[in-house]
Amino acid sequence: MSDRWFRLHEERDTPAEELEREVVAANDHGTLVPPSGTLLLGRYGGEPAGTAGVRLLGGGPAAELKRLFVHARARGTGGGPVLLAAAEEAARALGARVLLLDTRSDLAEAWSLYERSGYERTAPHNQEPYAERWYRKRLCGGPVNSRSAGPPWPRGG
């Protein structure tokens, strides 16, 4: 995914040392733990195949979606919508009423998922260096009523 951005914007592949530096700089995994966050692991066919993180922002009713990712071997199997719905449920459980996210313009698969799932484009809510599109969704009521992805992507536990 990083190579796609670098090829589009800088006409080169991602240098390994630059990728490592960016991963370390974006070290936000410490915010994806209770009591103000969570990191979900999605499995496909019993194997780890995706992640989605949620963290509360500034003590208010907003949370942010982070690290929604489906491994290449599991793409196209319905895991993205299942992970997104699980992240929304996790945000609600943390007390969030709104879920915010950012993504890159070249990740059409991601932003089209968000738009199909009821997210609306907004003005920027952060200064992330690779963020080019920002979204929000109001989280109302109970669990998200999403299509089932079937047995390979089990919900819950």
Side-chain angles (χ1 to χ4, degrees), residues 124-142:
H125 64 266
N126 62 29
Q127 300 296 318
E128 295 291 331
Y130 300 109
E132 298 167 317
R133 295 172 77 108
W134 292 264
Y135 290 89
R136 71 180 272 142
K137 182 176 182 178
R138 192 169 305 281
L139 303 174
C140 301

Side-chain angles (χ1 to χ4, degrees), residues 40 52-54 62-66 68 80-92 96-103 109-123 125 133-140 144 146:
L40 306 171
V54 175
E64 185 176 30
L65 177 70
K66 301 296 289 181
L68 180 60
V82 170
L83 281 167
L84 182 57
E88 291 171 353
E89 290 176 21
R92 279 190 205 91
R97 300 182 60 119
V98 174
L99 190 57
L100 304 171
L101 65 92
D102 64 70
T103 190
E109 303 89 342
W111 55 259
S112 64
L113 167 63
Y114 302 138
E115 291 175 3
R116 286 191 318 269
S117 301
Y119 286 79
E120 299 175 345
R121 284 194 70 178
T122 66
H125 64 266
R133 295 172 77 108
W134 292 264
Y135 290 89
R136 71 180 272 142
K137 182 176 182 178
R138 192 169 305 281
L139 303 174
C140 301
V144 174
S146 63

Side-chain angles (χ1 to χ4, degrees), residues 4 14 25 30 36 46:
R4 187 189 297 182
T14 312
S36 60

